[in-house]
Amino acid sequence: MIYLEKKIAIFNEMVYLKKEKESKEKIEAEKARLDQALADKTREMDQKEKDLIARRIQLAKEQGYDQVMNTKEETRIEVLKKEQALFQDFIASLKEKLKAFRESEAYVQREGDIFKGILADVNEERITVHLMDQDRDRLEGAFNKIAEEEGVHLDFVPLEKKALGGFMVSDKEESFFINASFQAKIDSLNYELGKMLHNQLKVEGGMD
């Protein structure tokens, strides 16, 4: 009887040890699985965090670039507005100075010299001179005197007020026009004057 009980005890112990070993193996395997899952999840979270940070950095760069570009564009527009305002002020000031110049004796002398040069070039016996009504009293006599010396007959017609001063010359058939008005000179200088002002603002403002 004792021998049987001992055998049963040994058997139970063997079964227990086997179950314990199996349990430990299962526990170790589950622990290993959980550790691996935790490691995988940690790596996944780390990667997501890195991706999120990278996206935020890229977005910040893009927003910063857009902001810089918008700032540059706004600055460029403001500079252009400033240029245009200054240019218009310059033209207005120039027109006022030309109006004042028309009242001087130097104006009559200057227009006479220009007119004499034109007569030498056109080689016509009869030409039409376009003068502003305000200038007829001062320039008509001077032009007639120059024309008589060259043997040229002059016909005078009105020149529109917006010409600001100066004169125009055409032949009888109006096959050619020579525009020596102040407005024509301003128009021809518009590009150069605007370019000069733009370059000056670049130097003063450090703009590209």
Side-chain angles (χ1 to χ4, degrees):
M1 186 70 178
I2 298 173
Y3 178 73
L4 179 61
E5 290 177 354
K6 188 174 183 179
K7 286 180 69 174
I8 293 172
I10 293 171
F11 175 78
N12 288 337
E13 184 178 357
M14 289 176 62
V15 171
Y16 173 78
L17 291 173
K18 184 179 179 181
K19 291 290 185 181
E20 184 181 27
K21 182 180 178 182
E22 289 176 353
S23 296
K24 286 182 178 180
E25 288 175 351
K26 286 182 180 181
I27 291 172
E28 291 296 328
E30 184 65 15
K31 183 176 181 297
R33 187 187 69 79
L34 291 175
D35 287 344
Q36 185 62 46
L38 179 60
D40 292 342
K41 195 65 177 177
T42 300
R43 282 195 298 271
E44 181 184 349
M45 293 179 66
D46 287 344
Q47 188 59 47
K48 286 184 178 180
E49 181 71 16
K50 289 179 181 178
D51 292 343
L52 179 60
I53 292 173
R55 286 197 298 272
R56 286 177 177 174
I57 291 174
Q58 182 62 30
L59 181 60
K61 286 181 178 179
E62 292 174 357
Q63 291 177 339
Y65 176 77
D66 290 342
Q67 185 174 0
V68 169
M69 292 304 295
N70 289 338
T71 301
K72 283 188 175 182
E73 181 65 14
E74 290 172 0
T75 302
R76 188 183 70 84
I77 292 173
E78 288 302 315
V79 169
L80 289 175
K81 287 181 179 179
K82 181 181 179 182
E83 285 182 11
Q84 187 62 24
L86 288 174
F87 183 68
Q88 292 302 323
D89 289 344
F90 176 79
I91 293 297
S93 175
L94 179 59
K95 288 180 178 180
E96 290 300 318
K97 289 180 179 179
L98 289 175
K99 288 179 181 179
F101 177 65
R102 284 180 51 232
E103 304 300 323
S104 68
E105 288 300 319
Y107 172 65
V108 178
Q109 180 64 46
R110 178 184 180 278
E111 299 308 300
D113 291 341
I114 295 173
F115 181 69
K116 187 174 183 178
I118 290 175
L119 286 188
D121 290 336
V122 298
N123 193 27
E124 296 280 340
E125 294 183 357
R126 189 182 191 103
I127 63 173
T128 301
V129 180
H130 305 247
L131 286 178
M132 291 177 60
D133 290 338
Q134 299 94 318
D135 286 344
R136 290 286 294 270
D137 291 341
R138 305 182 67 205
L139 296 182
E140 189 171 327
F143 283 12
N144 271 326
K145 182 177 180 180
I146 295 170
E148 287 174 6
E149 295 174 356
E150 301 293 332
V152 179
H153 180 78
L154 303 181
D155 295 310
F156 291 93
V157 296
L159 177 65
E160 56 188 1
K161 188 176 180 180
K162 70 177 184 180
L164 300 176
F167 60 93
M168 285 179 57
V169 170
S170 63
D171 61 346
K172 185 177 180 180
E173 292 77 19
E174 294 188 347
S175 61
F176 72 84
F177 280 91
I178 298 175
N179 193 341
S181 69
F182 285 173
Q183 185 60 55
K185 296 181 188 302
I186 291 175
D187 291 342
S188 68
L189 289 174
N190 265 346
Y191 173 76
E192 290 301 325
L193 290 173
K195 184 178 178 181
M196 178 184 69
L197 181 59
H198 176 71
N199 290 337
Q200 184 62 30
L201 284 174
K202 281 173 62 177
V203 172
E204 293 178 0
M207 296 298 300
D208 293 329

